[in-house]
Amino acid sequence: MISARDELATLSQLAVRDLEALMAAGYRTPAEVLDHLPKRYEDRRRFDSFPNQATPIPVCLRGTVIDSKKQFGRGGGFYEAIVMDGGGGVFGSGKITCRWFNMQFIHKLVATGQEVVVYGKVKDFNGRLIIDHPEFEVLREDDAEESGSIHLERIVPIYRNVAGLAQRRLREIRHGFLLQCDPGTLGAALELDAAMPRVEMLRRAHFPESMEQAQAARRHFALEEFFGIQLNVAWRRSRHQERNGRVLGKRTTLLGRFYKSLPFDLTGAQKRSIHEIVADMREPRPMNRLLQGDVGAGKTFVAMAAMLLAVDSGCQAALMAPTQILAEQHYLTFRRWLEPLGVRVALRTANRDETSHDEREGDPQIIIGTHALLYDDELFRDLGLVVIDEQHKFGVAQRASLIRLGVVPDVLVMTATPIPRTLTMTIYGDLDVSLLDEKPPGRGKIITGVRVGAKQSDVTAFVKEQLSAGRQAYLVYPLVEESASLKAESATEAFEKWRKRLSSREVGLIHGKLRPEEKEEVMRRFREGLTNALVSTTVIEVGVDVPNASVMILHHAERFGLAQLHQLRGRIGRGEHKSYCVLLTDGKNPEAMEKLKVLEQSSDGFEIAEADLRLRGPGNVLGTTQSGLTDLRFPDFLADTALLREAREIADRILTEDPQLDGIHRSLAELIQEDAGMMDLPGTA
Ligand code: ADP
Ligand code: MG
């Protein structure tokens, strides 16, 4: 017996080649190797029959290589092997050509006469059925004869490739470890499956007897992973509550004057959220709250109310926005509402420092900026509250780095819910949540339409008609991925064209390449109605608020993400006018059409976010800023609400029973430490 925690280098079971390859791939112990589960399985008890046409999904075929040759063309070489139906001597009539391009060594791995398993999508190339770059495995003569083979006549695991190791070797190594490792060193099973030791779960995940068994085992390990995250989140939350915050918000004079000065009533949801925030701020433990509200739900006024409470208690409040445009816009909004109340407001961004008041009057009470503010320790003398707007643009680590700022300030995080509920539980699990689930009254409806191959003249006519009625329009172009400079160009070219089309109107242009002061000037002109139409890239995606703009034309809509389209659409429908969102597309991609249809049918941010998660998976939905989650081993399961809930419940229970986590086995403690490391990570100069 060996310990699963032994260093691989100390194991006599491994050949030098194996060891080197495993170490190069980053594995250090048998436990780590075993924790890496198969990426898929092949049921090698029954192969697919050789197809006679192209297949949209991959097939798994068993056959014999009857011919192979190296070819050299202009663009480089390729190797091809013709595989014929019928392993074990019985030849059928099916034939498939496998091709590999620019892989000089491949002929050493596959040769005529060998029996192989190939896996891939079949395409029809001038009547020939071809799989390019199939995953493949060469069978050995004894595979079939040997009873209990791990390579044939059973469900076989397929792993992510490790350079220098063939699939069958990866399989053999894991199989060996499962037999050799002391089960006690492979970790304890989660409580709920106490009846089944973890080693048995691992066996089922690697060498299952049925697909159902494999799936159940994977689900178990997903639960285990989510449990780790949830325990972390619960732990962080309990630690945060132990910290010393300050009691704020006992005085409400300013807030009262602010309410009186508003020309409208706050919505029920706004009032409820403010109450929740006030209650938090009055507690001695620091507030750690998430305000979730769809675009246009009126998060800014809730933030303002909270910030006034802090000011009334004699300390500073800061608001951080993800972009310069948004910071400038917030600055204007805050000045407009708060200057009459005598509150001192300052704008602090990398490019601009401005105050609403004479410096001699005193320090600013409210500071607005971009997230660069986070790293400026000088700035705050007495920070009581930090509001982070549009949090999905911020990383978890950035949020955590706030904790460095001396006395722990109250924190309010605001997001426009491009994140589904299940993910909220994971990313923001340590926050209390207030929901703005009601929009201010008097908003015009937004009508959304997908238009396939629309005529430009029709689009132009529609825009003109709306401009003649006094409205304004956004003409949005996607970012071109290949190069940042192309992005700007595509919008720039479009700008010239739109100027001609709308010759009697003022057309503006905004994109990420403009200097901050140029951007602000363009936005000012649009906000004040001097420009009628604004050609833009996605820089207007978050927060921009121009109520008179009622038309949005989204060009190449298929190229945008669903959550992004919803955000963009949130720029219109902000005034009393009926608004129109037109999604222009070529209609070529069925998946993209499905995505656009979601927008036609729903305006509910939660619903759209969940559809997005279903269609694209969490890695894509979250992007790289939410780093922790893209490294998940089981991202597929993130859409499984029941599983996440279960993980949360177990974590809560354990933490209640054992608040300091003394009784938890080591692997969990390690997991928590790892994450604590991440928490210290400001990481940006
Ligand atoms: P978001 O939640 O997207 O950040 P904003 O705070 O920018 O929304 O508010 C969107 C618009 O709604 C703004 O023009 C704001 O002035 C207006 N608004 C906010 N609350 C109310 C309300 N209770 N009644 C009427 N209009 C409101
Ligand atoms: Mg906002």
Side-chain angles (χ1 to χ4, degrees), residues 299-300 330 389-390 414 543:
K299 293 185 286 295
T300 316
H330 278 317
D389 192 19
E390 309 293 356
M414 307 200 288

Side-chain angles (χ1 to χ4, degrees), residues 68-73 77-81 100 103-108:
S68 58
K69 56 185 168 226
K70 276 197 270 186
Q71 301 258 341
F72 289 97
F78 71 88
Y79 178 69
E80 76 176 31
W100 290 268
M103 291 173 75
Q104 296 301 337
F105 56 88
I106 201 86
H107 67 276
K108 295 189 183 140

Side-chain angles (χ1 to χ4, degrees), residues 167-181:
Q167 278 295 331
R168 50 189 303 133
R169 194 64 199 128
L170 289 173
R171 206 173 291 138
E172 285 162 3
I173 289 171
R174 282 178 171 93
H175 194 251
F177 283 161
L178 279 170
L179 291 174
Q180 295 149 5
C181 287

Side-chain angles (χ1 to χ4, degrees), residues 78-91:
F78 71 88
Y79 178 69
E80 76 176 31
I82 297 175
V83 177
M84 191 153 189
D85 193 355
V90 195
F91 283 88

Side-chain angles (χ1 to χ4, degrees), residues 171-453:
R171 206 173 291 138
E172 285 162 3
I173 289 171
R174 282 178 171 93
H175 194 251
F177 283 161
L178 279 170
L179 291 174
Q180 295 149 5
C181 287
D182 174 0
T185 61
L186 279 168
L190 275 184
E191 264 184 71
L192 79 160
D193 273 308
M196 192 176 299
R198 194 167 183 274
V199 65
E200 180 54 28
M201 281 296 176
L202 283 168
R203 275 189 204 118
R204 290 174 175 212
H206 288 285
F207 299 97
E209 272 152 32
S210 64
M211 289 297 190
E212 291 74 33
Q213 207 179 59
Q215 186 60 10
R218 296 180 80 82
R219 196 168 191 275
H220 173 87
F221 287 111
L223 177 63
E224 185 186 84
E225 179 171 42
F226 294 160
F227 163 71
I229 295 171
Q230 292 303 330
L231 185 62
N232 228 301
V233 154
W235 167 257
R236 221 151 58 192
R237 182 188 164 96
S238 76
R239 287 289 300 276
H240 193 79
Q241 292 185 345
E242 287 165 11
R243 285 173 205 267
N244 282 333
R246 50 208 290 176
V247 175
L248 299 175
K250 292 281 194 204
R251 259 177 66 134
T252 55
T253 324
L254 264 177
L255 191 62
R257 285 172 56 211
F258 171 63
Y259 281 160
K260 281 214 194 77
S261 74
L262 290 176
F264 44 71
D265 284 334
L266 293 176
T267 65
Q270 281 171 320
K271 285 183 196 153
R272 181 166 27 82
S273 300
I274 294 172
H275 275 295
E276 289 164 355
I277 291 167
V278 172
D280 272 5
M281 289 175 72
R282 287 181 176 169
E283 292 285 330
R285 64 172 174 79
M287 169 165 79
N288 208 17
R289 184 169 283 276
L290 175 71
L291 177 64
Q292 263 190 323
D294 213 342
V295 283
K299 293 185 286 295
T300 316
F301 283 115
V302 176
M304 234 182 252
M307 293 171 88
L308 285 175
L309 272 178
V311 170
D312 226 355
S313 302
C315 54
Q316 293 177 307
L319 172 65
M320 300 184 206
T323 65
Q324 177 100 15
I325 293 183
L326 212 48
E328 306 247 3
Q329 180 184 287
H330 278 317
Y331 178 61
L332 292 179
T333 311
F334 273 66
R335 282 185 63 171
R336 171 165 164 222
W337 297 101
L338 302 188
E339 249 173 16
L341 307 180
V343 177
R344 300 188 295 275
V345 185
L347 176 70
R348 289 283 150 74
T349 67
N351 305 285
R352 216 159 110 192
D353 266 5
E354 208 181 300
T355 38
S356 63
H357 54 280
D358 193 318
E359 307 256 333
R360 278 166 304 187
E361 289 169 40
D363 285 335
Q365 293 161 299
I366 285 182
I367 300 160
I368 293 169
T370 51
H371 64 264
L373 273 183
L374 268 179
Y375 306 108
D376 190 345
D377 294 333
E378 299 288 289
L379 198 57
F380 308 110
R381 276 176 226 288
D382 189 17
L383 188 64
L385 170 70
V386 179
V387 180
I388 303 176
D389 192 19
E390 309 293 356
Q391 155 77 15
H392 63 291
K393 296 277 165 181
F394 275 75
V396 176
Q398 281 163 316
R399 177 152 56 86
S401 74
L402 273 174
I403 292 175
R404 295 176 313 140
L405 298 174
V407 179
V408 185
D410 282 335
V411 175
L412 178 66
V413 168
M414 307 200 288
T415 170
T417 67
I419 293 173
R421 272 171 258 252
T422 53
L423 294 189
T424 304
M425 233 156 70
T426 309
I427 306 171
Y428 302 125
D430 57 333
L431 307 183
D432 299 303
V433 179
S434 292
L435 209 57
L436 275 189
D437 50 4
E438 179 186 348
K439 291 214 175 158
R443 294 284 171 80
K445 237 175 101 123
I446 303 183
I447 296 166
T448 302
V450 179
R451 294 288 175 273
V452 178

